[in-house]
Amino acid sequence: MTTWGESHGTAIGAVIDGCPPGLRIDREEIDREMARRRPGQGGASSPRKEPDAVEILSGIFTPPGEEMPRTTGTPLSLVVFNKDAHSKSYDELRDIFRPGHGDKTYLAKYGIRDHRGGGRASARETAARVAAGAIARQLLKRHDIEVCAYTLALGGIRIRTCDLSMIGENRFFCPDPLAAEQMEARVQEVRSQGDTLGGIVEIRATCPAGLGEPVFDKLDAGLAHALMSIGAVKGVEIGAGFAAADMLGSQNNDPLGPDGFLGNNAGGILAGISNGEEIVIRVAVKPIPSISKEQKTVNLANEEVTIRVGGRHDISAIPRIIPVCEAMVLLTLADFLVRDMAVKTRNRSGI
Amino acid sequence: MTTWGESHGTAIGAVIDGCPPGLRIDREEIDREMARRRPGQGGASSPRKEPDAVEILSGIFTPPGEEMPRTTGTPLSLVVFNKDAHSKSYDELRDIFRPGHGDKTYLAKYGIRDHRGGGRASARETAARVAAGAIARQLLKRHDIEVCAYTLALGGIRIRTCDLSMIGENRFFCPDPLAAEQMEARVQEVRSQGDTLGGIVEIRATCPAGLGEPVFDKLDAGLAHALMSIGAVKGVEIGAGFAAADMLGSQNNDPLGPDGFLGNNAGGILAGISNGEEIVIRVAVKPIPSISKEQKTVNLANEEVTIRVGGRHDISAIPRIIPVCEAMVLLTLADFLVRDMAVKTRNRSGI
Amino acid sequence: MTTWGESHGTAIGAVIDGCPPGLRIDREEIDREMARRRPGQGGASSPRKEPDAVEILSGIFTPPGEEMPRTTGTPLSLVVFNKDAHSKSYDELRDIFRPGHGDKTYLAKYGIRDHRGGGRASARETAARVAAGAIARQLLKRHDIEVCAYTLALGGIRIRTCDLSMIGENRFFCPDPLAAEQMEARVQEVRSQGDTLGGIVEIRATCPAGLGEPVFDKLDAGLAHALMSIGAVKGVEIGAGFAAADMLGSQNNDPLGPDGFLGNNAGGILAGISNGEEIVIRVAVKPIPSISKEQKTVNLANEEVTIRVGGRHDISAIPRIIPVCEAMVLLTLADFLVRDMAVKTRNRSGI
Amino acid sequence: MTTWGESHGTAIGAVIDGCPPGLRIDREEIDREMARRRPGQGGASSPRKEPDAVEILSGIFTPPGEEMPRTTGTPLSLVVFNKDAHSKSYDELRDIFRPGHGDKTYLAKYGIRDHRGGGRASARETAARVAAGAIARQLLKRHDIEVCAYTLALGGIRIRTCDLSMIGENRFFCPDPLAAEQMEARVQEVRSQGDTLGGIVEIRATCPAGLGEPVFDKLDAGLAHALMSIGAVKGVEIGAGFAAADMLGSQNNDPLGPDGFLGNNAGGILAGISNGEEIVIRVAVKPIPSISKEQKTVNLANEEVTIRVGGRHDISAIPRIIPVCEAMVLLTLADFLVRDMAVKTRNRSGI
């Protein structure tokens, strides 16, 4: 998968190469995924309005007599056109580096910078990932792989109960309805202060045993890479994660019984390969750096200035980051699934 | 970089492609690095004795009149022969899956398993990484990039002071001498119980601004991938990491002044690109799964059995994992440095 | 560079990753390149009419005060929408395998086939390559690399003089005006017979010394790969090529003098690396397989049938393949140039 | 597959990643392949004597109760130690650029050069390819893919009959015994003149339909890349190759019948994908550039000098290049076979 596009360019998109042929593509399902990360939904999210309609420009073909298109095995090109880009509102940022953003590092690296809405570094780029993830989900479903992400903590409020059926019932994709209410209150409070919030997302995936490669391309390494490539993520842990650092081997090891593992501190991955248990991942999400509080910074001439970042910004990357986390896990699992199929096929036929 | 080799095979090794030509190779420096991860040093480490002499089979040439070899720009092949492999002691494990190891998943995936010492999944494979990292260190030194890892916590004991000059003074590479003494005592205690310990490693790197790519190949994504590809690592965080989840944007943002950033919650990386500040990473290390306490598991026939894992095993992956963490960061930074050079060269010459 | 798109899909396109930042993009130059491979120009070419306007959806930014956009170092997404696709005319081909085409092999491989205009195997895909090549040309020009392709032979008529200034003066990009007239007559003759013609294209490139890698990624290997990836190409030779097979070493070796090589049997490449002389390549182009003469074939039920391929087809891939050959050489040289810059930078800075 | 090593370094080798697990490895078969390209066999070949024993350092494991080792799915590391390297005889070449070799281009690119025996550019590197090819052959045999190369022409003498059973009966792997005798005489004649010869190698492979990818990674593109990466190869053609340039479409198209194709001008590949017919490839081999005749060249100071290249050199790359051509085709087909299996598996399971 390759993505391209800037926040305030003409469009953003993705090219998916290597998708199996013959897969039926349900466009409505893609639209539903896109709707989940769309801006303009109130709550903690930006009021920017984007219909985010995904066009599939290639790689599909509706066979005579069928209604839904199928993949042909050739590259799928997905495009989302940018409609509601207010580039003007970024004009005053042309000469100032925003704290917590990549403005200064981009200029240092490339010598040229599209200052409008963060350019390539904008979270808008993740719309293309969600579109691609929706297609990966349709493939994985056929292999009984399901991925689900939700809010574990927001602004210091952590869930105390975990009822996954509640995720769709509140705007934070939060499995604890009470915590969701407190999150809502916290978001309003911080919004009025011109500040922003971080949080923790947990992702669970059912997954067959055998995905992952022994050394550098361990499944957990691939998942960490994928999730850390989301701008706001500052930490990733699998299973017991950092808590494992304080455990004894006898506590942390998951014993084996005839029906499978008797515990899941491993988070579904042993020696880099999925073990058939549920994959459990948590990611740390930093607060959104665009705050309307006054901050110290410098301008292009390296003079001290202060800045208040206006524009239409979210209070927290949560909840809109949730479908992005799901997409990255979906795309990573799809990639490893395809590799594992190849190993298993070779295994059977190679002897 | 490619590595190959099994714990109890003939040898392990690495091939490094893309190393710049003309780099002087100091073999003694490589030997010093290897000595740091070598088994048989007492304390928390395995008594297995391996001289771990690295042979460089290709890619270097000593120009007439010089004493040290230089790289030629062609692939470097590094080999470490296995000398002290006691394969016999693994015979009883041939038919039993060890909890916390990849035994069961390997067999599921490949249909064949080298049961001796974990085969390819063995931490012995990391010797090749350390050898390659030693060469990366020699390259990075010329660009003022230095990498240093140390023990932040072991068996629940966390450092309270951090004096990097103390790292070489104790066997745990611990910057707090008092904590190091407590760790020593804790290791002895747990060794007598037949159990093992986890911990946390912190890695710091000086690094120029500009390393990293905007989207999927963010520097933090590359580092997370590299570190999570070490068998015992279950979590990675950058800068404030999971603590950022509880912060406000106004707390977490690092303001900018004329002399650089006025804080380092970012851990030296913004929007996936190094910002010139020190890179700070922490990794969670799980306890070693090979314990001599009795554990429940199953055999090849899926019958319930119990197992006590004998053999020569470490009590904790710390401290021997420290040079491996350094090597992975060194190799990752070398890779990104070379990519960034290319961008900057193109930048200058492309216009 | 990644391309995507089918002959009769919504659009075709390319994503270019790794283009240096700051490069000025001249859209008119891109349009000129596209015009050279555009169908509907009479002569040997298909009457299908496509405006072939290239849209650049990302990766460029017009800095304040400048008129032309510049690349930002982020991926460039190029799109060409399909306008004049007559899918209906392919309906009768749905169940028949055309000789000389990939119809049967595609179905065998993928189990599904977009039969309209050859789908992904259509030469229409090369429009995206030409667009990308036009951008590569703008980069290479700054490094004094120029690429020029022309017709060496068409339908058995071979050039006897080679005046490169004549290339633009006839529709066959032929450096021998007399041969061009004979080619024109031959094309008309064969068109009236419902048959098609093959030919030979020669490509010359000025190129600095040092491009290419020692072993698998030799420059000639990369060029052969790139040119053989054009559908109609069945052979590639460098310098003396197949004629070198009949030479003595003393004839084939190019002696060296103080001002450079005294001959160019090597075609500008020695041991896989450019030597500073002109790169000279020839490719064999097979006759277009879509002929309106009756041919034997089979249908989906593997029954013997005969076929006459109607539709709007070229008589020869020449001349429209000429800009495609140039594009593939441009893209390959740009790729190797960027790699070589990295080696040279590392060389200078690595010691 | 990665290779490493220089002509006069400690060793040469290859790392093969992605080999299917469970494949039985017959060491004697590897030895037989190595024997075919070994120097010191008289005729047109160098008298350098290398036992060329291949050691497999990793990736194999002999299961209890079996005699032959099997692959485990982890990387195979193959090593051939250099024994008979006479580096001294290259001392006089340290400051002179040999015509027809990469000496000058290497120095320009890397700023450092291992002058002994051509260093990395030496044909000695191909020993590692042959070793790896021998393993690929064992995998392909299980899929009924066989590869056979032979001499089509040497020093202007072309075969007039083609009896493949004769290949093993003469030192030139020539299917025409009479031509082989003439080749022998021609070699002796040219040897006495201090000169060298070129030739043409033809390679045939049985191959199932479906190998190859639609656009850039066409099977013919991959084969051209692999074969052009052999130092002495200056041209590659598939099927009718350059002869197709002079044909009409009605002559070049292979009609289809119920039992398959009724002709093989395509050389077994259509639209980049194998069609089930025999794959037929020809490569042009240039004469060996190391001749003992006097040649004009320059030294490091760019002064005109003359050179006679002594040392132990072949008169022609043929016949020793024959097993190298086979190896490159074997490795390429193995790579595409594994990719195709993945597509077909996904195809079946993806719907």
Side-chain angles (χ1 to χ4, degrees):
Chain A
M1 214 248 310
T2 305
T3 70
W4 50 267
E6 281 78 36
S7 177
H8 291 228
T10 310
I12 56 165
V15 178
I16 305 172
D17 207 348
C19 185
L23 183 71
R24 247 191 222 102
I25 296 297
D26 182 344
R27 284 170 199 271
E28 286 176 26
E29 218 173 292
I30 300 175
D31 292 344
R32 273 196 299 275
E33 296 280 341
M34 294 305 286
R36 293 174 70 209
R37 80 158 285 294
R38 189 179 302 149
Q41 305 189 88
S45 302
S46 150
R48 176 170 171 175
K49 287 191 175 47
E50 290 285 359
D52 278 353
V54 180
E55 296 178 35
I56 305 179
L57 300 184
S58 70
I60 54 173
F61 175 67
T62 308
E66 302 199 6
E67 271 175 39
M68 264 189 216
R70 287 179 184 267
T71 57
T72 59
T74 61
L76 290 150
S77 176
L78 312 180
V79 176
V80 182
F81 284 89
N82 290 329
K83 298 269 159 75
D84 187 34
H86 291 194
S87 306
K88 279 288 164 215
S89 61
Y90 287 90
D91 275 4
E92 61 187 65
L93 299 177
R94 193 185 291 156
D95 304 327
I96 299 184
F97 300 124
R98 294 168 299 165
H101 281 284
D103 299 356
K104 198 182 176 191
T105 53
Y106 260 62
L107 193 62
K109 187 178 186 86
Y110 295 107
I112 182 173
R113 182 168 73 92
D114 183 347
H115 66 279
R116 303 164 305 168
R120 182 73 180 141
S122 166
R124 175 125 189 88
E125 170 269 331
T126 59
R129 305 192 194 193
V130 171
I135 289 175
R137 195 190 293 274
Q138 300 187 30
L139 169 65
L140 292 171
K141 220 176 261 175
R142 279 148 186 84
H143 297 272
D144 296 318
I145 298 177
E146 305 265 359
V147 175
C148 170
Y150 46 86
T151 301
L152 197 76
L154 176 62
I157 299 155
R158 206 176 170 105
I159 64 167
R160 277 137 306 181
T161 61
C162 186
D163 177 353
L164 297 189
S165 71
M166 286 292 124
I167 291 176
E169 303 301 311
N170 59 77
R171 75 167 85 241
F172 297 108
F173 302 114
C174 178
D176 173 354
L178 261 152
E181 280 176 38
Q182 295 173 297
M183 290 171 184
E184 187 71 55
R186 182 80 179 113
V187 161
Q188 300 312 333
E189 179 189 14
V190 165
R191 181 190 298 279
S192 69
Q193 296 162 356
D195 218 326
T196 56
L197 292 171
I200 299 174
V201 172
E202 189 163 86
I203 309 128
R204 289 168 184 265
T206 54
C207 183
L211 270 56
E213 306 296 320
V215 180
F216 296 112
D217 284 343
K218 288 186 161 73
L219 179 57
D220 34 2
L223 289 165
H225 187 136
L227 290 163
M228 205 69 114
S229 81
I230 304 172
V233 172
K234 296 299 281 185
V236 178
E237 58 178 13
I238 311 282
F242 276 88
D246 290 342
M247 290 185 188
L248 293 168
S250 55
Q251 295 169 322
N252 183 60
N253 279 357
D254 303 312
L256 273 153
D259 300 327
F261 289 87
L262 310 170
N264 194 14
N265 281 323
I269 304 175
L270 274 173
I273 300 180
S274 65
N275 66 8
E277 298 297 308
E278 194 174 45
I279 291 177
V280 182
I281 315 163
R282 278 173 303 281
V283 301
V285 178
K286 73 172 186 178
I288 287 202
S290 295
I291 60 176
S292 52
K293 278 196 164 169
E294 193 174 272
Q295 298 176 86
K296 284 187 190 174
T297 187
V298 293
N299 61 17
L300 278 176
N302 204 32
E303 298 160 338
E304 283 187 45
V305 293
T306 60
I307 187 174
R308 288 171 189 273
V309 183
R312 303 160 297 168
H313 298 290
D314 293 349
I315 297 307
S316 175
I318 293 172
R320 290 178 56 206
I321 205 172
I322 303 268
V324 182
C325 290
E326 285 187 5
M328 292 316 293
V329 172
L330 286 161
L331 288 164
T332 305
L333 291 179
D335 185 25
F336 277 97
L337 176 73
V338 163
R339 288 206 232 178
D340 186 54
M341 277 180 193
V343 170
K344 293 222 175 98
T345 311
R346 284 181 264 161
N347 193 355
R348 281 196 302 271
S349 57
I351 303 176
Chain B
M1 214 252 305
T2 306
T3 70
W4 50 266
E6 281 79 35
S7 177
H8 291 228
T10 310
I12 56 166
V15 178
I16 306 171
D17 207 349
C19 185
L23 183 71
R24 247 191 223 102
I25 297 298
D26 182 344
R27 285 171 198 270
E28 286 176 26
E29 219 173 292
I30 300 175
D31 292 343
R32 271 195 299 276
E33 297 281 341
M34 294 304 287
R36 293 173 69 209
R37 83 157 284 293
R38 189 177 305 149
Q41 308 188 87
S45 302
S46 149
R48 175 170 170 177
K49 287 193 174 47
E50 289 284 0
D52 277 356
V54 180
E55 295 178 36
I56 305 179
L57 300 185
S58 70
I60 54 171
F61 174 66
T62 308
E66 300 198 7
E67 271 174 40
M68 265 189 216
R70 285 179 186 270
T71 56
T72 59
T74 59
L76 290 149
S77 175
L78 311 180
V79 175
V80 183
F81 283 89
N82 290 329
K83 298 268 160 75
D84 187 35
H86 292 193
S87 305
K88 279 288 163 215
S89 60
Y90 288 91
D91 275 3
E92 62 188 63
L93 299 177
R94 194 186 289 157
D95 304 327
I96 300 184
F97 300 125
R98 292 168 300 163
H101 281 282
D103 300 353
K104 199 182 175 190
T105 54
Y106 260 62
L107 192 62
K109 188 179 186 86
Y110 295 106
I112 181 173
R113 181 169 72 93
D114 182 348
H115 64 280
R116 302 164 305 166
R120 183 71 181 143
S122 165
R124 174 123 190 89
E125 172 269 330
T126 60
R129 305 192 193 194
V130 171
I135 289 175
R137 194 191 293 273
Q138 301 187 29
L139 169 65
L140 292 171
K141 219 175 261 176
R142 277 148 188 85
H143 297 272
D144 296 320
I145 299 177
E146 305 265 0
V147 175
C148 169
Y150 47 86
T151 301
L152 198 75
L154 175 63
I157 298 155
R158 208 176 170 103
I159 63 167
R160 277 138 305 183
T161 62
C162 187
D163 177 354
L164 298 189
S165 70
M166 286 293 122
I167 291 175
E169 304 301 311
N170 59 77
R171 76 169 86 238
F172 296 108
F173 303 116
C174 178
D176 173 352
L178 259 151
E181 280 176 38
Q182 294 172 297
M183 290 170 184
E184 185 72 55
R186 183 80 178 113
V187 161
Q188 299 312 333
E189 180 188 12
V190 165
R191 181 191 298 279
S192 68
Q193 297 161 355
D195 218 327
T196 57
L197 293 170
I200 298 175
V201 173
E202 188 162 85
I203 308 129
R204 288 167 185 266
T206 54
C207 182
L211 270 55
E213 308 295 319
V215 181
F216 295 112
D217 284 342
K218 287 186 163 73
L219 180 56
D220 34 2
L223 289 165
H225 187 136
L227 289 162
M228 205 70 114
S229 81
I230 304 172
V233 172
K234 296 300 281 185
V236 178
E237 59 178 14
I238 311 281
F242 277 87
D246 289 343
M247 291 185 188
L248 293 168
S250 56
Q251 295 168 321
N252 184 59
N253 279 357
D254 303 312
L256 271 153
D259 300 327
F261 289 86
L262 310 169
N264 194 15
N265 281 324
I269 304 175
L270 275 173
I273 300 180
S274 64
N275 66 7
E277 299 297 307
E278 194 175 44
I279 292 177
V280 183
I281 316 162
R282 278 173 303 282
V283 300
V285 178
K286 73 171 185 180
I288 288 203
S290 294
I291 60 176
S292 51
K293 278 195 164 171
E294 194 175 270
Q295 296 176 88
K296 282 187 191 174
T297 187
V298 293
N299 60 18
L300 280 176
N302 205 32
E303 297 160 337
E304 283 187 48
V305 292
T306 58
I307 186 174
R308 288 171 188 271
V309 184
R312 301 160 299 168
H313 297 291
D314 293 348
I315 296 307
S316 175
I318 293 174
R320 289 179 55 206
I321 206 173
I322 303 268
V324 182
C325 289
E326 286 187 3
M328 292 317 292
V329 172
L330 286 162
L331 288 164
T332 305
L333 291 178
D335 184 26
F336 278 97
L337 175 73
V338 163
R339 289 207 232 178
D340 186 56
M341 277 180 194
V343 169
K344 293 221 173 99
T345 310
R346 285 181 264 161
N347 192 355
R348 281 195 301 273
S349 58
I351 303 176
Chain C
M1 213 251 306
T2 306
T3 71
W4 50 267
E6 281 78 37
S7 178
H8 290 229
T10 310
I12 56 165
V15 178
I16 306 172
D17 206 349
C19 185
L23 184 71
R24 245 190 223 101
I25 297 297
D26 182 344
R27 284 170 198 272
E28 286 177 26
E29 217 172 294
I30 300 174
D31 292 344
R32 274 197 298 275
E33 296 281 340
M34 293 306 286
R36 294 174 68 210
R37 81 157 283 295
R38 188 179 304 150
Q41 307 190 86
S45 302
S46 150
R48 176 172 171 175
K49 285 191 175 47
E50 290 285 358
D52 277 353
V54 180
E55 296 178 36
I56 306 180
L57 300 185
S58 70
I60 54 173
F61 174 67
T62 307
E66 301 197 6
E67 273 175 38
M68 264 189 214
R70 287 179 186 268
T71 56
T72 59
T74 60
L76 290 149
S77 175
L78 312 179
V79 175
V80 183
F81 284 89
N82 290 328
K83 299 267 161 75
D84 188 36
H86 291 193
S87 306
K88 279 287 165 217
S89 60
Y90 287 91
D91 274 3
E92 62 187 63
L93 299 178
R94 193 186 290 158
D95 305 326
I96 299 184
F97 300 123
R98 294 168 299 165
H101 281 282
D103 300 355
K104 199 182 177 192
T105 53
Y106 260 61
L107 193 61
K109 188 179 185 84
Y110 295 106
I112 181 172
R113 181 167 74 92
D114 182 348
H115 65 280
R116 302 164 305 167
R120 182 75 180 140
S122 166
R124 174 120 191 90
E125 171 269 333
T126 60
R129 305 191 193 196
V130 171
I135 289 175
R137 195 190 291 275
Q138 300 186 29
L139 169 65
L140 292 171
K141 217 176 260 176
R142 278 148 188 85
H143 297 272
D144 297 318
I145 298 177
E146 306 264 0
V147 174
C148 170
Y150 46 85
T151 300
L152 198 78
L154 176 62
I157 298 155
R158 205 176 172 103
I159 64 168
R160 276 136 306 183
T161 61
C162 186
D163 177 353
L164 297 190
S165 71
M166 286 294 122
I167 291 175
E169 304 301 312
N170 59 76
R171 75 169 84 240
F172 297 107
F173 303 114
C174 178
D176 173 353
L178 260 153
E181 281 177 36
Q182 295 173 297
M183 290 171 185
E184 187 69 57
R186 183 79 179 113
V187 161
Q188 299 312 334
E189 178 188 16
V190 166
R191 180 190 300 277
S192 68
Q193 297 161 357
D195 218 325
T196 57
L197 293 170
I200 298 175
V201 173
E202 188 161 84
I203 309 129
R204 289 167 184 266
T206 55
C207 183
L211 270 55
E213 307 295 321
V215 179
F216 296 112
D217 284 344
K218 288 186 163 75
L219 180 57
D220 35 2
L223 289 164
H225 187 138
L227 290 162
M228 205 70 115
S229 81
I230 304 171
V233 173
K234 296 300 281 185
V236 178
E237 60 178 12
I238 311 281
F242 276 88
D246 290 343
M247 291 186 188
L248 293 167
S250 56
Q251 295 169 322
N252 184 60
N253 279 357
D254 303 311
L256 271 154
D259 300 326
F261 288 87
L262 310 170
N264 194 14
N265 281 324
I269 303 175
L270 274 174
I273 300 179
S274 64
N275 65 9
E277 299 297 307
E278 194 174 44
I279 291 177
V280 183
I281 315 162
R282 279 173 301 281
V283 301
V285 178
K286 74 172 185 178
I288 287 202
S290 294
I291 60 177
S292 51
K293 279 196 162 168
E294 193 174 88
Q295 299 176 84
K296 284 187 191 173
T297 187
V298 294
N299 60 18
L300 279 177
N302 205 29
E303 298 161 338
E304 283 188 46
V305 294
T306 59
I307 187 173
R308 289 171 188 275
V309 184
R312 303 160 298 168
H313 297 289
D314 294 347
I315 297 306
S316 175
I318 293 173
R320 288 179 58 208
I321 205 173
I322 303 269
V324 182
C325 290
E326 285 187 4
M328 292 317 292
V329 172
L330 287 162
L331 288 164
T332 305
L333 291 179
D335 185 25
F336 277 98
L337 176 73
V338 163
R339 288 207 231 177
D340 186 55
M341 276 180 194
V343 169
K344 293 219 174 100
T345 311
R346 284 181 266 162
N347 193 354
R348 281 195 302 271
S349 57
I351 301 175
Chain D
M1 214 253 306
T2 306
T3 70
W4 50 267
E6 282 77 38
S7 176
H8 291 228
T10 310
I12 56 166
V15 178
I16 307 171
D17 207 349
C19 185
L23 183 71
R24 246 191 222 101
I25 297 298
D26 182 344
R27 284 171 198 270
E28 285 176 25
E29 218 173 292
I30 300 175
D31 292 343
R32 274 196 298 276
E33 295 282 340
M34 294 305 286
R36 292 174 69 209
R37 81 158 283 293
R38 187 178 306 149
Q41 307 188 84
S45 302
S46 150
R48 176 171 171 176
K49 284 189 176 50
E50 290 284 359
D52 278 354
V54 179
E55 295 178 36
I56 306 180
L57 299 186
S58 70
I60 53 172
F61 174 66
T62 308
E66 301 199 6
E67 271 175 40
M68 265 189 213
R70 287 180 185 268
T71 56
T72 59
T74 61
L76 290 150
S77 174
L78 311 180
V79 176
V80 182
F81 283 90
N82 289 329
K83 298 269 161 75
D84 188 36
H86 291 193
S87 305
K88 280 287 165 215
S89 61
Y90 286 90
D91 274 4
E92 63 188 63
L93 299 176
R94 191 186 292 157
D95 304 327
I96 299 184
F97 301 124
R98 292 169 300 164
H101 281 283
D103 299 355
K104 198 182 178 191
T105 53
Y106 260 61
L107 194 62
K109 187 178 187 84
Y110 295 106
I112 181 173
R113 181 168 73 92
D114 182 347
H115 65 280
R116 302 163 306 167
R120 183 73 180 141
S122 165
R124 174 120 190 91
E125 172 269 332
T126 59
R129 306 191 192 195
V130 171
I135 289 176
R137 195 190 293 272
Q138 300 186 30
L139 169 65
L140 292 170
K141 218 175 261 175
R142 276 148 188 83
H143 297 272
D144 296 319
I145 298 177
E146 304 263 0
V147 174
C148 169
Y150 45 86
T151 301
L152 198 77
L154 176 63
I157 299 156
R158 208 176 169 102
I159 63 166
R160 278 136 305 183
T161 61
C162 187
D163 178 353
L164 297 190
S165 71
M166 286 293 121
I167 291 175
E169 304 300 311
N170 59 77
R171 75 168 87 238
F172 297 108
F173 303 114
C174 179
D176 173 353
L178 259 152
E181 280 177 38
Q182 294 173 297
M183 289 171 185
E184 185 71 55
R186 183 79 180 113
V187 162
Q188 300 312 334
E189 178 188 16
V190 166
R191 181 190 299 276
S192 69
Q193 296 161 356
D195 219 327
T196 57
L197 293 170
I200 298 174
V201 172
E202 189 162 82
I203 308 128
R204 288 166 184 267
T206 54
C207 183
L211 269 55
E213 307 295 320
V215 180
F216 296 112
D217 284 343
K218 287 185 162 75
L219 180 57
D220 35 1
L223 289 165
H225 188 137
L227 289 163
M228 205 69 115
S229 81
I230 304 172
V233 172
K234 296 300 281 185
V236 178
E237 59 178 13
I238 311 281
F242 277 88
D246 290 343
M247 290 186 187
L248 293 168
S250 56
Q251 295 169 321
N252 183 60
N253 279 357
D254 304 310
L256 271 153
D259 301 325
F261 289 87
L262 310 170
N264 194 13
N265 281 323
I269 304 175
L270 274 174
I273 299 180
S274 64
N275 65 9
E277 298 297 308
E278 193 174 47
I279 292 177
V280 183
I281 316 162
R282 278 173 302 282
V283 300
V285 178
K286 74 172 185 178
I288 287 203
S290 295
I291 59 176
S292 51
K293 277 195 163 171
E294 193 174 270
Q295 296 176 87
K296 282 187 192 174
T297 188
V298 294
N299 60 18
L300 279 177
N302 204 32
E303 298 161 338
E304 284 187 45
V305 293
T306 58
I307 187 174
R308 288 170 188 274
V309 184
R312 301 160 298 167
H313 297 290
D314 292 349
I315 297 306
S316 175
I318 292 174
R320 289 179 56 206
I321 206 172
I322 303 268
V324 182
C325 290
E326 286 186 4
M328 292 316 293
V329 172
L330 286 162
L331 288 164
T332 305
L333 292 178
D335 185 26
F336 278 97
L337 175 73
V338 163
R339 289 206 232 178
D340 186 55
M341 277 181 193
V343 169
K344 294 221 173 99
T345 310
R346 285 181 265 162
N347 194 354
R348 282 194 302 271
S349 57
I351 302 173

